Amino acid sequence: MAWINQNRNALISAVIVVIVLALMFNGMSPQTASSVILSGITLAALYFLVASGVSLIFGLMDVLNFAHGSLFMIGAYAGWTYYTNPRLLFNTGSLLLALVAGFALSPLLARFIVLPRWARWLAFLIAFVIAIFSVRDFPIDKLVAMGMTMTGKVIPTAEAQEPMTTMLMRLAGAFLAGAVASAGIATRSAERRAAPMQQTIALVIGMIVAAVIILLAREPGEQFILQTDSNWRFLMAMVAGALTGGAIGALMEWGLIRPLYSRPIYQILLTLGLTFVFDQVVRFVWGPAGAFMEIPKWFNTPSKDCPSDNLWVWFAQNCDSVFIGGRPFPSYRLFIILVGILMLIVIALLLQRTRFGMIIRAGVQDSEMVEALGINVRRVFTLVFAIGAALAGLGGVVAAPFLGVYPGMAMEFLLQAFIVVVIGGLGSIPGAVAGALLVGLARAYGDNIVLAGIQLPWMKDAISGSPAIARASTVLIMAIVLFLKPTGIFGKKD
Amino acid sequence: MTKSIRDHLPYLLLLAALVVLPFAISFLTGEPLNKGIALFSQGLMIQVFILAVFALSYDILMGHTGILSFGHALFFGTGAYALGILVKYAHWSLPVAILAIIVIAALESFVIGILSLRVHGVYFAMVTLAFATVAFILVEATDFKQWTGAEDGLHGIPVPDAINPAIHRTEFYFLALAFAVAIFLLVKLFVDSPSGRVWAAIRENEARATSIGFNTLAFKVQATIISGIIAALAGALNAMWNLSATPQTMEVGTTINALLMTIIGGSGTIIGPMLGAGVLQLLGYFLNLWLGSIWQLVFGLIYILLVLFVPYGIVGTWRVKQLDWRAAWRARFARVSK
């Protein structure tokens, strides 16, 4: 009885959802219904990967990350680049790492110099000029030219890459720019909170060594990646996307959001600005047009017996589609569902079964109290931000063979993630699951009826529309939930 | 009287400078008003005026009522598309169309306000962003192509010759300037009115405003409606200026633009966002000349630096500093006179 009382909202909404689903699929053939449901769950898995991060980050630190869709997009681009054009990652990644190494100097510099206000701006200006000089004439368009299957212009790696000496000089320039800028942000309070000096030095040196190793390994590394078979390469691309997302998320929290915890409004102004910056970066580097990503061999092996009769046969054949409920369904989408479920289990285990998860759950309740108990909440914040961002990045790579990569995916998934968390309630993982399922199913159902056309009894012809209508209609669910229960189905915070 | 003139002097000087500007440029370059740099600079300033009004409408919410909306482009775009559709396809006359736009914007902002204001703070930002994105998707959808022109936008809006910017650029310049001044005075009136005081109370402490007995939801909806109408009017003027309405007017980028202008100028200061629009537009023009297409990226980075380091904007920072300077001057003067 107590259990029913506690979960009343969830139960009522579950009953409503079941009734609505029954009405929706009433009159639909079982084949169509099963394929709509599976498509819906596929989308739901992707939405969950984005929305769970948004929800977790907001629940713990009250920061609504408007750049989360961009992290999804960055993850997708990073994974896709790893898969098709790793030389771009080797050449740019080392520069970025050197820049970050320069920034990481700031707690160390704060021990020796604290600049007056005007000198800070001067430092930023000098850093900016050094940065401009160190990337001047960097042949990014040549480096990109291999992955762009659309433009089809391939430049061999040897021509596209700059000689090692030039790259090493650029590396030094990037490090210097970061170091000068970090002198600009060094403050006394940063010094007081800083880690021990040896730790900072070790971190900086480690990053520089890593940057140089990446640069030195660029040619054998590229050969190695391009020669691994497509399945393993894809798995590694997933890791690359998640790592890129996680690293960018951690940097964002550490460098940009942390200084603004005293001004919460400015945090979201900042993250909104970041969506714009990421969008521009992606358009600048990869161009405004999107690209498709190859589906790995496991899900794309041609054979005369395709589509496979059932899942067991598929394991032997690796066809691109499987008969489920009497209709062929793309097997890659089953993989997306699998990844979504796996990540849900991982998050649930992390939150419920580990000490770290316990700290997170306690922090969602009352982060000041957790801090009072002697736990370094700031570090937990950075880690959770990184985890949320890594989930989004992973989602991006998984989505890439299904939807392709294009700059618009950031806004698209941000929108759906917001709708999901508004429905489910911010800060609640069960809410994110429920919301994602609801939105995914509604979206798939909407796509289906929009394509088939709607014919109400008094109409002569069916009205059909473009998929854009289905995309837009999910906001209706959000409006209804807002109207009935503004905090969302599982939400408690207002 | 003298005090009020001294207080208003900077504004009057700015206005006088803007009135003289086209003639001054024409005089300096020796070209007639409808040629070369004189013509071009008027075009640049017209955009500044339109965006200044848009930024001002945004600041009614952000700076004066303390509501953070990320869907403001929705109203701007509504104004643009409503004008285009009503004038081009329904063949309404311009004044009637503008009255209709006021009604449409009022209804739209009422519905969105009522729905979204049920939630607070960041939730509101998120929900308004969702609504605006949906409007953007619908405008770009191929289903309504015959009215909205889908991704290409709605082109060839017939504007009466008397104020057609392609023919009578200088007249349009003064129309836009008059519009900006009128909206500036109107917003000042609103902000100084009793309602405006309640907005400020909500911004500072909503719980306390409620406990005094104000129905804060009603006042917030009121602010949303006023701001929505002004934004839609700015959008309509923008459509008249471009003779087209494009999906870009509904994009998140447009909202970010408004935010940027407000933050550069200083939120909550009425004139600040308008100056911000000027700075942003002119800076954007020169950065574009200098850097090419990458200027938008530089812009985004500048925005992030501003949010981090200059949160009060030009006017806000100046007002704070001005007090410091005055105090310093007084202290020095007192020492000397002793």
Side-chain angles (χ1 to χ4, degrees):
Chain A
M1 202 57 213
W3 184 83
I4 291 178
N5 262 334
Q6 268 174 6
N7 297 295
R8 206 183 51 196
N9 288 321
L11 286 175
I12 292 176
S13 23
V15 170
I16 293 176
V17 166
V18 168
I19 292 173
V20 170
L21 282 179
L23 282 177
M24 268 162 59
F25 294 110
N26 185 20
M28 207 182 254
S29 69
Q31 285 90 346
T32 323
S34 81
S35 86
V36 165
I37 289 177
L38 278 174
S39 307
I41 296 176
T42 311
L43 287 172
L46 292 177
Y47 295 157
F48 170 74
L49 287 177
V50 187
S52 57
V54 174
S55 191
L56 210 58
I57 290 170
F58 183 83
L60 184 63
M61 45 196 123
D62 282 337
V63 175
L64 191 56
N65 185 13
F66 280 80
H68 222 77
S70 307
L71 292 169
F72 179 84
M73 171 184 71
I74 295 272
Y77 270 96
W80 172 65
T81 308
Y82 178 91
Y83 192 83
T84 56
N85 190 18
R87 70 183 183 198
L88 181 63
L89 288 186
F90 280 105
N91 281 294
T92 54
S94 60
L95 286 187
L96 289 177
L97 204 57
L99 187 72
V100 173
F103 273 121
L105 272 179
S106 91
L108 191 69
L109 289 177
R111 283 166 201 266
F112 304 111
I113 36 165
V114 174
L115 297 173
R117 212 177 159 73
W118 60 270
R120 280 172 201 279
W121 286 101
L122 194 69
F124 287 138
L125 197 69
I126 295 174
F128 183 70
V129 171
I130 298 176
I132 292 281
F133 268 99
S134 59
V135 295
R136 223 174 120 227
D137 298 329
F138 186 68
I140 195 135
D141 46 342
K142 281 188 194 162
L143 286 171
V144 171
M146 191 170 186
M148 300 311 278
T149 45
M150 310 285 262
T151 48
K153 211 176 94 193
V154 176
I155 299 175
T157 306
E159 280 173 45
Q161 277 179 168
E162 283 187 314
M164 191 61 81
T165 43
T166 325
M167 281 306 292
L168 283 173
M169 274 163 74
R170 288 191 192 282
L171 207 68
F175 176 70
L176 197 63
V180 173
S182 79
I185 49 172
T187 54
R188 292 227 177 273
S189 59
E191 181 209 355
R192 241 182 277 126
R193 288 206 202 99
M197 201 194 279
Q198 296 90 331
Q199 216 171 322
T200 318
I201 295 176
L203 182 72
V204 171
I205 291 180
M207 280 201 264
I208 295 174
V209 169
V212 173
I213 288 177
I214 290 176
L215 200 58
L216 292 176
R218 60 182 184 175
E219 264 154 34
E222 185 194 5
Q223 288 309 314
F224 174 74
I225 291 173
L226 289 179
Q227 275 160 13
T228 43
D229 78 312
S230 81
N231 301 323
W232 288 105
R233 193 151 35 118
F234 183 72
L235 283 182
M236 287 310 291
M238 282 167 59
V239 173
L243 282 181
T244 312
I248 291 180
L251 276 179
M252 262 171 68
E253 203 279 340
W254 171 76
L256 298 172
I257 292 177
R258 190 177 284 187
L260 294 178
Y261 275 113
S262 53
R263 292 185 279 154
I265 287 289
Y266 285 85
Q267 283 175 335
I268 58 174
L269 293 183
L270 187 95
T271 57
L272 186 73
L274 281 176
T275 63
F276 183 74
V277 169
F278 283 135
D279 183 74
Q280 292 296 326
V281 167
V282 165
R283 281 171 203 270
F284 175 71
V285 175
W286 286 280
F292 289 102
M293 186 168 168
E294 181 190 32
I295 296 177
K297 283 272 178 311
W298 272 329
F299 311 99
N300 196 19
T301 309
S303 104
K304 62 181 190 314
D305 301 324
C306 286
S308 308
D309 294 334
N310 58 47
L311 266 180
W312 295 118
V313 181
W314 173 81
F315 273 113
Q317 292 176 328
N318 292 325
C319 277
D320 59 352
S321 48
V322 194
F323 272 105
I324 293 180
R327 228 189 219 197
F329 188 77
S331 56
Y332 182 72
R333 297 200 202 169
L334 294 176
F335 174 70
I336 297 182
I337 298 176
L338 179 73
V339 171
I341 293 173
L342 277 181
M343 284 302 127
L344 171 62
I345 294 172
V346 168
I347 295 175
L349 285 180
L350 178 79
L351 285 179
Q352 302 293 335
R353 289 279 180 270
T354 64
R355 186 181 148 73
F356 182 62
M358 196 167 74
I359 295 173
I360 296 175
R361 279 182 296 141
V364 171
Q365 296 289 327
D366 187 346
S367 63
E368 276 175 17
M369 189 63 212
V370 176
E371 202 164 11
L373 291 174
I375 289 159
N376 186 349
V377 179
R378 288 295 161 103
R379 186 168 296 165
V380 178
F381 281 8
T382 311
L383 267 173
V384 168
F385 213 102
I387 291 173
L391 280 174
L394 177 73
V397 187
V398 175
F402 170 40
L403 301 167
V405 290
Y406 54 98
M409 68 199 302
M411 266 332 273
E412 160 129 27
F413 275 83
L414 182 69
L415 173 72
Q416 302 295 353
F418 278 179
I419 294 176
V420 166
V421 291
V422 168
I423 291 173
L426 274 170
S428 148
I429 291 293
V433 177
L437 278 174
L438 208 59
V439 174
L441 285 174
R443 183 66 204 282
Y445 181 73
D447 277 338
N448 187 55
I449 55 171
V450 155
L451 286 178
I454 310 166
Q455 190 168 25
L456 297 175
W458 62 88
M459 286 179 187
K460 248 199 227 156
D461 304 309
I463 309 171
S464 59
S466 69
I469 302 288
R471 254 199 303 160
S473 63
T474 43
V475 88
L476 275 180
I477 311 177
M478 183 185 82
I480 294 170
V481 171
L482 270 182
F483 201 70
L484 296 177
K485 193 164 186 300
T487 48
I489 301 172
F490 290 86
K492 290 181 189 75
K493 274 192 181 181
D494 192 5
Chain B
M1 193 60 206
T2 49
K3 185 171 178 356
S4 97
I5 284 182
R6 208 180 66 193
D7 277 0
H8 294 146
L9 197 61
Y11 295 101
L12 292 174
L13 281 179
L14 181 65
L15 180 60
L18 289 175
V19 169
V20 178
L21 186 74
F23 304 104
I25 289 177
S26 158
F27 179 75
L28 284 176
T29 58
E31 288 167 321
L33 276 172
N34 54 1
K35 288 253 156 52
I37 298 176
L39 183 77
F40 179 75
S41 63
Q42 286 170 43
L44 207 59
M45 289 309 290
I46 289 170
Q47 278 174 338
V48 170
F49 298 147
I50 294 171
L51 288 175
V53 172
F54 181 51
L56 189 54
S57 75
Y58 189 78
D59 199 36
I60 292 180
L61 293 182
M62 182 180 158
H64 297 290
T65 323
I67 305 174
L68 191 67
S69 157
F70 280 175
H72 212 58
L74 172 61
F75 302 113
F76 192 72
T78 302
Y81 274 96
L83 184 98
I85 292 169
L86 290 179
V87 173
K88 189 176 177 192
Y89 295 112
H91 304 294
W92 290 17
S93 74
L94 201 58
V96 183
I98 285 179
L99 282 180
I101 286 172
I102 293 178
V103 176
I104 293 170
L107 285 176
E108 188 183 26
S109 45
F110 176 74
V111 171
I112 297 215
I114 284 282
L115 272 181
S116 322
L117 285 168
R118 290 170 64 83
V119 290
H120 299 271
V122 289
Y123 266 95
F124 182 79
M126 178 168 84
V127 170
T128 47
L129 181 70
F131 281 123
T133 310
V134 165
F136 175 69
I137 293 173
L138 287 182
V139 155
E140 269 204 334
T142 47
D143 307 66
F144 312 107
K145 191 163 180 153
Q146 46 173 326
W147 296 296
T148 59
E151 282 180 20
D152 304 327
L154 171 60
H155 291 278
I157 299 173
V159 173
D161 278 351
I163 50 162
N164 191 329
I167 308 167
H168 297 284
R169 179 71 58 93
T170 313
E171 280 83 344
F172 199 86
Y173 177 89
F174 284 108
L175 176 75
L177 177 60
F179 174 64
V181 172
I183 297 290
F184 171 77
L185 294 175
L186 198 68
V187 170
K188 205 163 166 47
L189 209 66
F190 276 129
V191 170
D192 291 339
S193 72
S195 292
R197 301 285 173 217
V198 182
W199 293 350
I202 293 172
R203 179 189 64 203
E204 296 302 329
N205 191 334
E206 188 173 348
R208 214 172 274 178
T210 314
S211 69
I212 297 172
F214 289 112
N215 180 357
T216 50
L217 179 67
F219 281 97
K220 287 199 287 187
V221 172
Q222 179 199 25
T224 315
I225 292 175
I226 291 172
S227 148
I229 291 175
I230 295 175
L233 287 177
L237 196 69
N238 189 53
M240 279 156 68
W241 156 241
N242 287 315
L243 302 176
S244 66
T246 54
Q248 277 81 47
T249 54
M250 289 260 190
E251 235 179 15
V252 192
T254 309
T255 303
I256 294 184
N257 242 341
L259 249 170
L260 197 53
M261 295 184 281
T262 310
I263 288 182
I264 289 181
S267 78
T269 58
I270 307 189
I271 191 70
M274 303 185 98
L275 289 182
V279 171
L280 189 77
Q281 202 62 23
L282 299 179
L283 197 70
Y285 172 71
F286 289 111
L287 278 180
N288 192 11
L289 278 187
W290 180 42
L291 296 170
S293 65
I294 201 181
W295 72 276
Q296 283 193 304
L297 177 59
V298 175
F299 231 80
L301 294 175
I302 292 177
Y303 168 84
I304 285 175
L305 286 180
L306 281 174
V307 169
L308 279 173
F309 299 109
V310 199
Y312 307 113
I314 301 171
V315 177
T317 310
W318 190 74
R319 283 190 184 162
V320 172
K321 290 275 180 220
Q322 191 193 22
L323 292 178
D324 290 352
W325 290 332
R326 274 194 191 159
W329 269 110
R330 267 194 211 121
R332 189 169 297 175
F333 194 68
R335 222 181 295 137
V336 170
S337 62
K338 252 179 216 168

